[in-house]
Amino acid sequence: MTVSSPCILGTHHEKGAQTFWSVVSRLPLSSHAVLCWKFCHVFHKLLRDGHPHVLKDSLRYKNELSDMSRMWGHLSEGYGQLCSIYLKLLRTKMEFHTKNPRFPGNLQMSDRQLDEAGESDVNNFFQLTVEMFDYLECELNLFQTVFNSLDMSRSVSVTTAGQCRLAPLIQVILDCSHLYDYTVKLLFKLHSCLPADTLQGHRDRFMEQFTKLKDLFYRSSNLQYFKRLFQIPQLPENPPNFLRASALSEHISPVVVIPAEASSPDSEPVSEKDDLMDMDASQQNLFDNKFDDIFGSSFSSDPFNFNSQNGVNKDEKDHLIERLYREISGLKAQLESTKAEGQRAVLQLKGRLSELEAELAEQRHLRQQAADDGEFLRAELDELKKQREDTEKAQRSLTEIERKAQANEQRYSKLKEKYSELVQNHADLLRKNAEVTKQVSVARQAQVDLEREKKELEDSFERVSDQTQRKTEEQQELLESLKQELATSKQELQVLQSSLEASAQSEATRAAQITELETERDSLVSAATRREEEFSSLRKQLEDTQLKLAGAQEAVCQFAKEQRKMLLEGSRKAAEQVIWEALSQLEEPTLISCAGSADHLLSKVKSVSSCTEQLEKSRSQYLACPEDISEFLHSITLLAHLTSDTIVHGSTTSLRAPPEPADSLTEACKQYGRETLIYLAALDGEGALESADSTAMRSCLSKIKAIGEELLPRGLDIKQEELGDLVDKEMAATSAAIEAATARIEEMLSKSRAGDTGVKLEVNERILGSCTGLMQAIQVLIVASKDLQREIVESGRGTASPKEFYAKNSRWTEGLISASKAVGWGATVMVDAADLVVQGRGKFEELMVCSREIAASTAQLVAASKVKADKDSPNLAQLQQASRGVSQATAGVVASTISGKSQIEETDSMDFSSMTLTQIKRQEMDSQVRVLELENDLQKERQKLGELRKKHYELAGVAEGWEEGTEASPPTPQDAATEKD
């Protein structure tokens, strides 16, 4: 019976591996490499052929296996490296089967079961392929390491020492054949669903593993040890062409053929020779016996041996006796042979019995698995029934929601019509108000006229003689000269009074005239009374109109207030949901496959700090002017997304940090999320909005920033001896980029002069001229920066070379390299933006942003250049002067761009001269609707930007090797986002 057979049967009998691990825990695996190597072989076979619960019972020892792997990895000779790699393979196998429980330990599956394992989801197939690549990579690593440890110039496969190392490769070959087959099928399936460019990395990795596996299979097939045990499959001459779907039909699954009469490799002696061992023969035999005592002996009993007798000259009797002895010996030999054959038959029958017992246990297991599958299918059927019922309920709910939506739409239409009617009534009331005001003005003027006429009549009564002969029309014409004539009229009245006293004949006539004037005065008084009554009626009508207008304005204001409250509540709840999702991701296992960087976390903290300050400013503006809510809503949404990014990146950064800073960083991120939720909750209600305080949020951000700064790396992944050459190359590349940008601007200016006229030509000349000035200012700054750097190196290097100076001051050198790259890149981007603006297909704002970005990059170059300079250096003064020139040139580009934009937009201004009040109000409503739509689109675009940032970060991490040395897998194609510079 083999070494591992009792263990395999024991796991099926026990339905687990508790006994196995209780025995293994007493073995000195950490001190004796050969014993550890044998343990790995037995455990590998248990994972493949033992009870399914072996994996579950072994997961608790995964960390111990990892520690043992790292410990053996420190040995560079003997079995140390072999044990380290084998333990890492076993750990990878356990993780693979834990993530993919549908795969059995021996990896034997049908095509239908392989499809079910991916659940018909391209993302699952993508991730499963990556995990199989990792699994196969560990198998090939062990394969290659075993071969490298053997002296292939000798027939090591027929020695016990060589067979001890080659025996575990049988399990590796069995695993590799299945993994290769499944990888080919999954890659064909992925190429049928995804673009070929997306899977370029998969194809490259498959080609590398295909070449290694083909070579190892070929080398193994030539070893005598493997030839008598099984037939190793050979891979095709050329790898499959995944770009041609029909090539799948040409794929032949590799099958390992095991002859029925092949003996188990475990029955071979596994003792090690003196030249391959780190311990003496006595220690080796001691631990071999201890291993065999626990797991069963791997050696069969020694055969009977008979010593021959030397022949001597004897007489006939002696010859007879000798012949009889020979016959007896032959009979004994035949008897022993018969006994040996019987024993072999008994052993074969026992082995067959064990195989049958194993098959019976496997059949029982399959029957139990079938019963479990039946229960699972019944549960799935019940679940599908529940889902169908839920779907029907959801359909009914959807119908009800659609009906309510239609009702809301109708209600909105009615409200919109009512609003239009209110606006029209408002306009009518305004017109009526204007008319009433006009009528009131006329009435007041009439009253003034009446009072003036009344005064005139009183004056005329005093001047009876003079006014008797004048008409009412003359009185109106003389109205303006009454003041000058008042004194004259008094004198004339005295004359008339004297004349009245003197002339008795004219008294009756004067009395009649006075009576007539009094009658006329009474009629005028009556007319004035009527005018006053009309004025009172108009005033009352005006007050009623003003009351209606005030009610309409109050209704409109109340509607707008409710809308602002709903928008604020919706934005606050959405922000809380985003932060809750980020906090919930801290406890999910998906983040284990990611790893962040401290400098990226610090950039996130800086962004969220700026957003917090902007939120406080917009909150103050909203409290001062509630109508201006757009900036406040924008700040809340931006804070939520930046907070979510900070929490997630803080968690991923902690995965690569030491335990104590990692725990502190994770707790700080959680506390910051909770404080942000408390702050958002304080924004509910006008009273609470005024008392909202962000001090706790800022404190948490400061704590995260402090931890992130402690975790910052201490330099770029560049050899120090290459830094000096890299600085010169980057400065030269930046100068070349500026010269190329200047040439392109001159070429664009020539084309514009040849093809454009009028305002467009004037705008293009002004913009391109300012861009040329900026490029020239940057060239001057680069020359000044080179002179200052040369002075710094010459004054600070002493007897060392410039390269040694750059290497010694690596952080300063890296700052110069980064700043030079930023200047060259900014110049190229600005020229592209200017080209699009000149062609009429670009945006003026993009050109302004590019020019400001160049100014910031040059400022970074100036700061990096002068950090080690002498403050009294003339080259430093020249560099600062050049920096001011760049700032002035940047301001010129921005000013010319704004001026050109205004000049272009003046020709496209709206004409309101022919529009009525109703048309203007209608366009105002349409503009408001458009503003709401754009705000909704803006929120969606920000969410999309967050996903793009996340995707960019993950892809950049893979490209830069951020996940090197971790067990993480690459992301799926549907994952989210890139980072903003």
Side-chain angles (χ1 to χ4, degrees):
M1 186 174 291
T2 64
V3 173
S4 56
S5 296
C7 297
I8 295 174
L9 293 176
T11 59
H12 285 284
H13 177 73
E14 190 184 30
K15 293 183 172 50
Q18 293 87 350
T19 303
F20 170 77
W21 281 107
S22 64
V23 174
V24 169
S25 62
R26 299 195 299 269
L27 294 177
L29 301 180
S30 300
S31 58
H32 297 283
V34 177
L35 187 62
C36 182
W37 177 255
K38 293 181 180 181
F39 156 73
C40 294
H41 186 192
V42 173
F43 184 43
H44 195 172
K45 296 193 70 175
L46 286 183
L47 290 176
R48 282 185 51 83
D49 303 324
H51 193 273
H53 288 173
V54 171
L55 175 63
K56 180 180 178 182
D57 294 338
S58 303
L59 287 177
R60 69 186 66 178
Y61 302 97
K62 186 171 67 173
N63 293 333
E64 297 180 7
L65 297 180
S66 300
D67 296 338
M68 196 184 305
S69 174
R70 285 193 295 270
M71 187 272 296
W72 285 118
H74 295 299
L75 298 180
S76 59
E77 297 179 356
Y79 279 87
Q81 286 293 329
L82 295 177
C83 292
S84 175
I85 296 174
Y86 206 166
L87 289 168
K88 185 176 181 181
L89 168 61
L90 295 175
R91 185 175 182 272
T92 303
K93 182 176 180 68
M94 293 167 64
E95 292 177 350
F96 177 82
H97 289 289
T98 302
K99 294 180 181 179
N100 305 279
R102 294 178 181 266
F103 282 82
N106 56 12
L107 295 175
Q108 294 181 0
M109 296 182 68
S110 62
D111 293 343
R112 182 181 62 82
Q113 292 173 331
L114 184 62
D115 293 337
E116 292 176 353
E119 299 177 354
S120 301
D121 188 353
V122 66
N123 290 326
N124 295 339
F125 286 126
F126 189 97
Q127 183 65 25
L128 182 58
T129 306
V130 174
E131 293 173 358
M132 284 190 175
F133 278 146
D134 296 338
Y135 192 177
L136 185 56
E137 187 71 28
C138 294
E139 300 274 6
L140 294 176
N141 193 14
L142 178 62
F143 214 141
Q144 187 67 45
T145 306
V146 171
F147 270 58
N148 293 339
S149 68
L150 297 175
D151 185 3
M152 302 306 294
S153 63
R154 299 185 299 168
S155 299
V156 295
S157 65
V158 297
T159 65
T160 56
Q163 292 175 3
C164 181
R165 299 195 181 195
L166 293 174
L169 295 186
I170 298 175
Q171 312 301 321
V172 174
I173 293 173
L174 293 173
D175 286 344
C176 289
S177 62
H178 291 298
L179 291 174
Y180 168 78
D181 183 34
Y182 299 154
T183 303
V184 171
K185 293 177 180 178
L186 289 176
L187 283 177
F188 273 111
K189 186 179 296 294
L190 287 175
H191 277 79
S192 64
C193 302
L194 297 175
D197 295 340
T198 305
L199 299 172
Q200 181 62 44
H202 280 51
R203 291 197 299 273
D204 295 341
R205 194 171 183 186
F206 174 81
M207 286 296 299
E208 180 183 356
Q209 294 186 353
F210 173 81
T211 305
K212 291 181 180 179
L213 186 60
K214 181 179 178 182
D215 178 65
L216 293 173
F217 274 7
Y218 175 75
R219 294 171 64 183
S220 301
S221 63
N222 294 328
L223 296 178
Q224 188 64 30
Y225 175 70
F226 291 129
K227 286 183 179 180
R228 65 184 182 85
L229 294 177
F230 59 91
Q231 181 180 352
I232 300 177
Q234 297 299 321
L235 300 184
E237 185 67 24
N238 298 317
N241 184 7
F242 299 109
L243 301 179
R244 183 168 57 88
S246 59
L248 178 60
S249 60
E250 303 172 2
H251 169 66
I252 300 176
S253 300
V255 178
V256 179
V257 180
I258 302 177
E261 66 275 6
S263 62
S264 173
D266 296 325
S267 63
E268 298 295 332
V270 291
S271 61
E272 182 64 285
K273 295 297 182 181
D274 293 338
D275 58 347
L276 298 176
M277 295 176 55
D278 296 330
M279 55 184 175
D280 57 18
S282 61
Q283 292 176 333
Q284 175 65 39
N285 293 332
L286 175 62
F287 288 104
D288 282 349
N289 293 335
K290 188 171 184 179
F291 187 87
D292 294 337
D293 290 340
I294 295 176
F295 295 106
S297 176
S298 60
F299 300 94
S300 59
S301 300
D302 293 333
F304 292 100
N305 294 321
F306 298 95
N307 296 322
S308 61
Q309 300 178 358
N310 296 326
V312 293
N313 295 325
K314 301 177 181 178
D315 55 10
E316 183 178 357
K317 184 178 179 180
D318 293 332
H319 284 292
L320 179 61
I321 293 172
E322 184 178 356
R323 187 178 73 248
L324 292 175
Y325 273 116
R326 284 197 300 270
E327 291 177 358
I328 292 172
S329 299
L331 292 174
K332 287 182 177 180
Q334 291 179 3
L335 179 60
E336 294 296 333
S337 176
T338 304
K339 289 181 179 180
E341 290 178 0
Q343 290 178 355
R344 283 196 295 271
V346 170
L347 291 175
Q348 290 178 358
L349 290 175
K350 288 182 178 179
R352 181 58 180 168
L353 179 61
S354 300
E355 293 176 359
L356 292 175
E357 289 177 351
E359 291 180 1
L360 178 60
E362 181 67 20
Q363 292 297 328
R364 290 176 178 172
H365 169 66
L366 293 176
R367 184 181 65 183
Q368 182 64 32
Q369 187 175 5
D372 295 339
D373 291 342
E375 293 293 334
F376 177 73
L377 291 175
R378 281 193 291 271
E380 282 190 347
L381 180 60
D382 296 337
E383 184 67 24
L384 289 175
K385 290 180 179 179
K386 293 180 179 178
Q387 290 181 359
R388 185 179 64 182
E389 295 176 356
D390 295 340
T391 304
E392 292 176 355
K393 293 180 180 178
Q395 187 66 29
R396 290 193 295 270
S397 300
L398 180 60
T399 305
E400 182 66 21
I401 291 172
E402 290 178 351
R403 184 182 63 79
K404 291 182 179 179
Q406 292 177 356
N408 291 334
E409 184 68 23
Q410 293 176 359
R411 190 178 298 108
Y412 173 74
S413 300
K414 292 179 180 179
L415 288 174
K416 192 174 181 180
E417 293 175 358
K418 186 66 176 178
Y419 179 73
S420 301
E421 184 178 351
L422 287 173
V423 171
Q424 185 64 34
N425 292 337
H426 185 198
D428 295 339
L429 290 173
L430 288 176
R431 285 196 295 272
K432 290 181 179 180
N433 186 23
E435 293 175 357
V436 169
T437 304
K438 185 176 179 181
Q439 292 177 2
V440 169
S441 300
V442 173
R444 287 178 178 174
Q445 185 65 33
Q447 184 179 7
V448 171
D449 294 340
L450 287 174
E451 292 177 352
R452 188 182 296 117
E453 290 176 359
K454 182 179 180 181
K455 187 176 181 181
E456 289 174 357
L457 289 174
E458 292 176 351
D459 294 339
S460 298
F461 179 75
E462 295 176 355
R463 305 186 306 271
V464 178
S465 299
D466 186 55
Q467 296 298 331
T468 19
Q469 299 177 358
R470 296 180 180 179
K471 304 290 183 181
T472 304
E473 294 80 5
E474 294 176 354
Q475 292 177 357
Q476 302 229 345
E477 293 175 355
L478 297 175
L479 182 60
E480 295 181 358
S481 61
L482 286 177
K483 291 182 179 181
Q484 293 80 3
E485 295 177 356
L486 181 59
T488 306
S489 298
K490 288 181 178 181
Q491 295 176 1
E492 291 178 354
L493 182 58
Q494 292 176 358
V495 173
L496 289 174
Q497 286 178 352
S498 61
S499 300
L500 181 61
E501 293 174 355
S503 178
Q505 294 83 2
S506 60
E507 184 177 356
T509 304
R510 291 191 187 99
Q513 290 178 352
I514 291 172
T515 303
E516 183 178 356
L517 289 174
E518 289 178 351
T519 304
E520 186 176 359
R521 184 190 64 183
D522 294 335
S523 63
L524 290 174
V525 170
S526 301
T529 303
R530 288 194 302 272
R531 291 292 179 86
E532 288 178 354
E533 292 176 355
E534 291 177 359
F535 176 76
S536 300
S537 176
L538 291 173
R539 178 179 294 172
K540 184 177 181 181
Q541 187 177 0
L542 175 61
E543 291 176 352
D544 295 337
T545 304
Q546 289 177 344
L547 288 175
K548 292 181 181 179
L549 180 61
Q553 290 178 346
E554 183 179 0
V556 172
C557 293
Q558 185 66 23
F559 177 79
K561 183 177 180 181
E562 292 295 328
Q563 287 292 329
R564 289 195 298 271
K565 185 176 181 181
M566 291 173 60
L567 288 173
L568 179 59
E569 182 68 14
S571 299
R572 186 183 64 79
K573 290 183 178 179
E576 291 178 348
Q577 181 65 26
V578 171
I579 297 174
W580 274 117
E581 290 177 358
L583 289 175
S584 63
Q585 290 180 2
L586 294 178
E587 306 299 334
E588 293 180 359
T590 54
L591 289 179
I592 298 176
S593 62
C594 303
S597 60
D599 52 351
H600 183 65
L601 175 62
L602 291 177
S603 67
K604 287 293 180 183
V605 172
K606 182 178 180 181
S607 300
V608 78
S609 299
S610 301
C611 180
T612 303
E613 295 177 358
Q614 182 62 31
L615 178 61
E616 290 294 325
K617 293 180 181 178
S618 59
R619 182 175 68 89
S620 301
Q621 294 176 359
Y622 173 71
L623 291 174
C625 181
E627 289 78 14
D628 187 13
I629 195 176
S630 59
E631 185 67 24
F632 189 36
L633 297 179
H634 167 73
S635 299
I636 292 175
T637 305
L638 182 60
L639 175 66
H641 289 285
L642 290 178
T643 299
S644 176
D645 290 346
T646 302
I647 293 172
V648 174
H649 284 91
S651 177
T652 56
T653 302
S654 66
L655 296 177
R656 299 182 62 181
E660 184 175 355
D663 296 339
S664 300
L665 182 57
T666 303
E667 185 60 29
C669 292
K670 291 181 180 179
Q671 182 63 25
Y672 171 63
R674 291 192 290 266
E675 293 296 338
T676 306
L677 290 173
I678 294 173
Y679 178 81
L680 291 176
L683 300 181
D684 186 13
E686 296 180 355
L689 185 62
E690 294 178 355
S691 60
D693 188 10
S694 61
T695 304
M697 293 168 51
R698 297 174 187 272
S699 176
C700 293
L701 284 175
S702 300
K703 186 176 181 181
I704 295 174
K705 182 179 179 182
I707 298 174
E709 289 175 349
E710 293 178 0
L711 298 177
L712 279 175
R714 297 296 180 254
L716 295 175
D717 191 14
I718 301 175
K719 294 182 179 180
Q720 292 189 347
E721 59 268 22
E722 299 176 358
L723 286 175
D725 295 336
L726 190 57
V727 170
D728 297 335
K729 290 179 182 179
E730 287 300 332
M731 295 298 293
T734 302
S735 300
I738 297 300
E739 292 175 359
T742 305
R744 282 191 60 190
I745 291 174
E746 293 294 335
E747 181 182 357
M748 288 187 289
L749 184 59
S750 301
K751 290 182 180 180
S752 178
R753 288 172 178 171
D756 298 330
T757 59
V759 175
K760 186 175 182 181
L761 176 60
E762 180 182 355
V763 171
N764 291 344
E765 286 181 344
R766 189 185 306 122
I767 293 176
L768 294 178
S770 61
C771 291
T772 303
L774 178 58
M775 293 296 109
Q776 294 173 352
I778 294 175
Q779 285 179 331
V780 174
L781 183 138
I782 291 175
V783 173
S785 177
K786 288 182 179 178
D787 296 337
L788 181 59
Q789 292 172 25
R790 191 178 300 110
E791 177 184 345
I792 293 172
V793 173
E794 292 298 328
S795 63
R797 68 185 179 92
T799 60
S801 64
K803 290 186 178 180
E804 292 174 347
F805 179 81
Y806 283 121
K808 181 179 179 182
N809 300 273
S810 59
R811 298 292 291 177
W812 176 67
T813 306
E814 291 163 4
L816 291 178
I817 295 171
S818 176
S820 300
K821 287 183 179 180
V823 172
W825 175 83
T828 304
V829 174
M830 193 193 77
V831 172
D832 294 337
D835 191 6
L836 293 176
V837 169
V838 170
Q839 295 178 12
R841 296 185 289 108
K843 297 180 179 180
F844 291 91
E845 292 80 0
E846 185 176 358
L847 183 58
M848 290 188 286
V849 171
C850 291
S851 63
R852 292 192 179 105
E853 184 67 22
I854 290 180
S857 300
T858 54
Q860 180 185 356
L861 180 59
V862 171
S865 299
K866 73 178 184 180
V867 69
K868 288 184 175 294
D870 186 4
K871 64 180 180 178
D872 298 327
S873 172
N875 288 327
L876 176 59
Q878 185 178 0
L879 178 63
Q880 292 174 341
Q881 181 65 29
S883 176
R884 287 191 290 269
V886 171
S887 300
Q888 294 175 359
T890 303
V893 173
V894 175
S896 61
T897 305
I898 294 175
S899 175
K901 180 181 178 182
S902 302
Q903 194 170 356
I904 293 296
E905 290 177 349
E906 284 177 0
T907 59
D908 299 329
S909 60
M910 296 183 63
D911 184 13
F912 298 97
S913 59
S914 61
M915 298 177 63
T916 64
L917 178 63
T918 303
Q919 292 174 342
I920 292 175
K921 194 61 181 179
R922 179 64 181 178
Q923 290 198 4
E924 179 185 356
M925 292 176 59
D926 294 338
S927 298
Q928 292 177 352
V929 173
R930 181 59 177 165
V931 166
L932 293 176
E933 292 176 350
L934 290 175
E935 289 177 348
N936 188 23
D937 294 339
L938 176 62
Q939 184 177 1
K940 292 180 180 178
E941 286 299 321
R942 283 186 176 135
Q943 293 176 354
K944 182 179 178 182
L945 177 61
E947 296 296 329
L948 290 174
R949 286 176 178 171
K950 180 180 179 183
K951 183 63 178 177
H952 180 207
Y953 175 76
E954 293 173 349
L955 293 179
V958 174
E960 294 296 332
W962 296 345
E963 296 183 353
E964 183 178 357
T966 66
E967 297 292 334
S969 302
T972 63
Q974 279 71 17
D975 289 339
T978 59
E979 287 301 316
K980 181 179 180 182
D981 290 342

